[in-house]
Every structure is written in structure tokens, then in C-alpha cells.
Amino acid sequence: MSRNGCLLCAPLVAESVDEMLSQMRVAKKNGADVVELRVDYIQGFAPEMDLPRLIRGRVLPVIVTYRPKWEGGNFEGDEVFRVKALRKAISLGADFVDVELQVAAEFLECSTPERKDSSSRVVVSNHNYKMTPSLGEIGSLIARIQSIGADVVKIVTTAEKVTDVARVFHAVVHSQVSGNQVPTIALVMGPKGLISRLLAPKFGGFLTFGALGVGQESAPGQPTLLQLTQMYRVDRMDRDTKVFGIVGNPVGHSKGPIIHNAAFQEIGYNAVYVPYLVDDMREFLEVYSGSDFSGFSVTIPFKEDALRCCDEVDPIAQAIGAVNTIIRRDGKLIGYNTDCEAAISAIEDALRGRSTSLRL
């Protein structure tokens, strides 16, 4: 397990049992703590034969998920059959079984015999594929899932704006501060929700997902397992980790996370650098105003907006009319422009090189 207590989970979306067992070994090699067996992806899945092979052949703890179409999965069929398969997973000793909130109360009641003699923990999940509700609604949802007896709470929403993620972070932290001892998974789907997956350990998430590779995601916006472990080092993150990042639209092409996270690791600095896909610069800075969010690089189209949002601006940046770097200092946002210095330095270096070659 990661030192921060947040599990790194690889969802396995193979179409056969053999392939899924093979993927499980790859996931272990690549640093996963647990795998999610998405058995709704297996072609011709036969619970009585396939579940014993998957669970008894595990090399990591497993979450068994048999997701129906009505909750974003692949299973189309009889609910009695599906529920029976999940109960079978409990009786076989699966470490976790994921069941949807819509059917969880009845499932927990009918599964009492299996749970009595099993160490399996039930994850009660709810997915919103349209939006992220208000903070109050998220809090009520978490409380509802806790109240029906979930061993683990899981809420997944969809980001319309990057600022939606802040409500999910707040709800998870509040549930912990209020004395709740039920572990909570809280993630936000889509490109604008990526930071929910990258920063889950910092804000007390029980688990975050990393796909085995590009094209093997089980939900929109999942990073890969290797990105989480090698670039963002989520296994080393804790609540004191400082957060930096690049603000832009588009932002996915930026090499900033590769460069800065490698630099943080090299100097032993407890920080992470993440991409923010932003629509409104002022709203973004107002929402992510906590001291943990220590600084931002700014790229197109927000460099002029950034200047207007800062409390103080370096004279060079003021003269240029654009800010590409913001540092939070003593509660204030201080804006700089490093593009100018970088451009001049490059010209000077080139001229020095030319001068040297002429002398030779």
C-alpha cells in the first residue's frame, strides 16, 4: 500500500478470464495495490466457472464489479443473475464487491448469509454521468450511502468545469473531519476532472484508478497507472504536498508535468505539478484559493487575464501586459513573466556562441 493510505487501483477490462489474469500480473508489476475485475467486459462471462478462477488466481486484492448498462457498464441481462454473481464473489472471498446505490440496500440485506462468513467489503457506488451536484447534494449522497451500511463509499461525478472538482474534495475532507470512519472514493470523470484522480491521496481518498494503458480506461479521464506512479508519484503524496500546475485551454499537450514533477523528485521537494483545463481564470483562482495551491504556470489563452487577476504584478510583466507565472505568497497572488527573460537569455546565448565561433 502507498504510504499515504490511498490505494492505487488498476481497472481490468479484458474480454477473457485468461487475459484478465495476465493483466493482473502486469498491474502488480507496475505498482498497483489492488485491481478492479470488470467482469461485465468478459465475453460470455460464466460466474460459476469464471469467478473461482479470477478470485483464487489473484496476485493482488480484487474488487469485483459487474456493472450494468443503466450505471454505465456493459451488462445487459437479468438483475437476479447479476446479483447472484456478486453474492458468489462474496462467498468466494473477494476482497471487495462493488454494488450500485440503486440496488445496494436490497443487496446488502439478501447477502447477509454470504457476508457473515466472509471478509469481503462492499463498495456502494453512485455514478453521475452528466454533472457534479452542489456541495450540499454531494454531502447528502455520501451520508445516504453510509446510512445503508456501505463498507466503502464511492461517488463519481462528471466535470463540466475544473472548479467542480473542488466541491468533491471539500465533501470528502468534511466527511472525515466530521468523524466519519467509512472510507470514501470520490472521483470526477472527464478531462476537467483529472485532478480529482491525481490529488486523491492529498485529500484523503481511499482509492484512485490508473488504467493499464491508453485505451484500457474503464471511465473517461483516467490517467494510466505508470503516469500516476512515475510522473505524479501519487504513492508519495500526503496532505502536506504542495500543489502547482499549469492553467490553460487546451492544456493536455503541455510538457510541464513531466519537467516539473521530475525536478521536484530530484530535489526532494514535497510537491506535485498538475494540468488544469480551465474555462474562466478568475473563477478558477477564486475557487482554488487555499494555501495548498501554491503556484500556477499560465498558458494560452489566459496570460492577459492572469495579469488582471493578480494582487501584485512584477514591473516587467506589467510592461509586457501578460503574466505566465503566479506565486501565492502571504495570501496574495504575485504575477511574473518569465517568457521575456527566457527569450532574451536564448538570444544572448546564441550571440555568445556566434561570437566564440567567429573568434575561432
Side-chain angles (χ1 to χ4, degrees), residues 102 164 236 259 285 336:
Q102 186 171 327
D164 292 343
R236 313 302 293 173
I259 296 168
L285 291 173
Y336 299 88

Side-chain angles (χ1 to χ4, degrees), residues 279-283 285-286 298-299 301-314 317-326 333-337:
D279 296 306
D280 184 296
M281 186 71 183
R282 186 171 295 277
E283 179 190 32
L285 291 173
E286 288 174 351
V298 183
T299 187
F302 297 118
K303 294 187 180 185
E304 294 178 352
D305 291 346
L307 184 144
R308 292 188 286 269
C309 293
C310 288
D311 300 301
E312 298 177 14
V313 177
D314 179 77
Q318 192 74 60
I320 294 170
V323 160
N324 78 333
T325 302
I326 299 175
L333 297 176
I334 317 298
Y336 299 88
N337 191 305

Side-chain angles (χ1 to χ4, degrees), residues 75 77 177 230:
F75 176 77
V177 172
Q230 296 183 7

Side-chain angles (χ1 to χ4, degrees), residues 76-114:
E76 289 183 286
D78 180 50
E79 270 295 292
V80 173
F81 177 84
R82 189 178 75 89
V83 169
K84 184 179 178 181
L86 292 173
R87 292 178 64 180
K88 175 72 173 178
I90 291 176
S91 67
L92 289 169
D95 303 274
F96 301 90
V97 171
D98 184 307
V99 61
E100 300 73 24
L101 174 60
Q102 186 171 327
V103 298
E106 182 179 352
F107 176 83
L108 289 167
E109 183 177 355
C110 75
S111 302
T112 300
E114 289 87 357

Side-chain angles (χ1 to χ4, degrees), residues 112-224:
T112 300
E114 289 87 357
R115 295 182 73 198
K116 183 178 180 182
D117 299 319
S118 173
S119 59
S120 294
R121 301 165 72 183
V122 176
V123 180
V124 176
S125 60
N126 181 261
H127 296 73
N128 187 324
Y129 287 92
K130 295 182 178 180
M131 46 87 76
T132 298
S134 69
L135 179 59
E137 289 171 318
I138 296 172
S140 296
L141 179 61
I142 291 175
R144 180 186 170 197
I145 296 175
Q146 293 169 2
S147 69
I148 65 173
D151 297 310
V152 179
V153 173
K154 180 182 177 183
I155 61 166
V156 183
T157 68
T158 299
E160 297 176 284
K161 300 183 292 184
V162 69
T163 49
D164 292 343
V165 181
R167 298 198 295 278
V168 174
F169 286 153
H170 188 281
V172 175
V173 171
H174 177 73
S175 70
Q176 296 164 345
V177 172
S178 62
N180 163 45
Q181 299 300 312
V182 181
T184 300
I185 304 165
L187 302 169
V188 186
M189 293 182 286
K192 295 174 184 177
L194 174 61
I195 60 170
S196 72
R197 302 176 182 280
L198 304 180
L199 301 179
K202 176 174 176 61
F203 292 98
F206 177 67
L207 177 152
T208 191
F209 290 90
L212 280 187
V214 176
Q216 295 179 286
E217 303 88 354
S218 64
Q222 278 179 359
T224 66

Side-chain angles (χ1 to χ4, degrees), residues 238-360:
D238 57 36
R239 299 191 184 198
D240 295 325
T241 300
K242 294 296 183 183
V243 183
F244 298 86
I246 181 162
V247 177
N249 193 337
V251 76
H253 64 284
S254 173
K255 303 299 183 186
I258 298 173
I259 296 168
H260 287 86
N261 285 313
F264 293 153
Q265 182 174 12
E266 179 68 21
I267 65 175
Y269 185 49
N270 186 13
V272 64
Y273 188 98
V274 300
Y276 299 102
L277 180 57
V278 172
D279 296 306
D280 184 296
M281 186 71 183
R282 186 171 295 277
E283 179 190 32
F284 170 79
L285 291 173
E286 288 174 351
V287 170
Y288 292 98
S289 59
S291 59
D292 285 332
F293 296 91
S294 302
F296 311 97
S297 305
V298 183
T299 187
I300 57 173
F302 297 118
K303 294 187 180 185
E304 294 178 352
D305 291 346
L307 184 144
R308 292 188 286 269
C309 293
C310 288
D311 300 301
E312 298 177 14
V313 177
D314 179 77
I316 293 177
Q318 192 74 60
I320 294 170
V323 160
N324 78 333
T325 302
I326 299 175
I327 298 297
R328 193 183 304 281
R329 183 182 299 137
D330 299 327
K332 293 182 178 181
L333 297 176
I334 317 298
Y336 299 88
N337 191 305
T338 63
D339 290 334
C340 176
E341 182 179 350
I344 292 173
S345 297
I347 293 170
E348 290 176 341
D349 289 345
L351 289 174
R352 278 194 292 269
R354 181 181 179 189
S355 175
T356 300
S357 65
L358 288 175
R359 287 197 300 271
L360 293 173

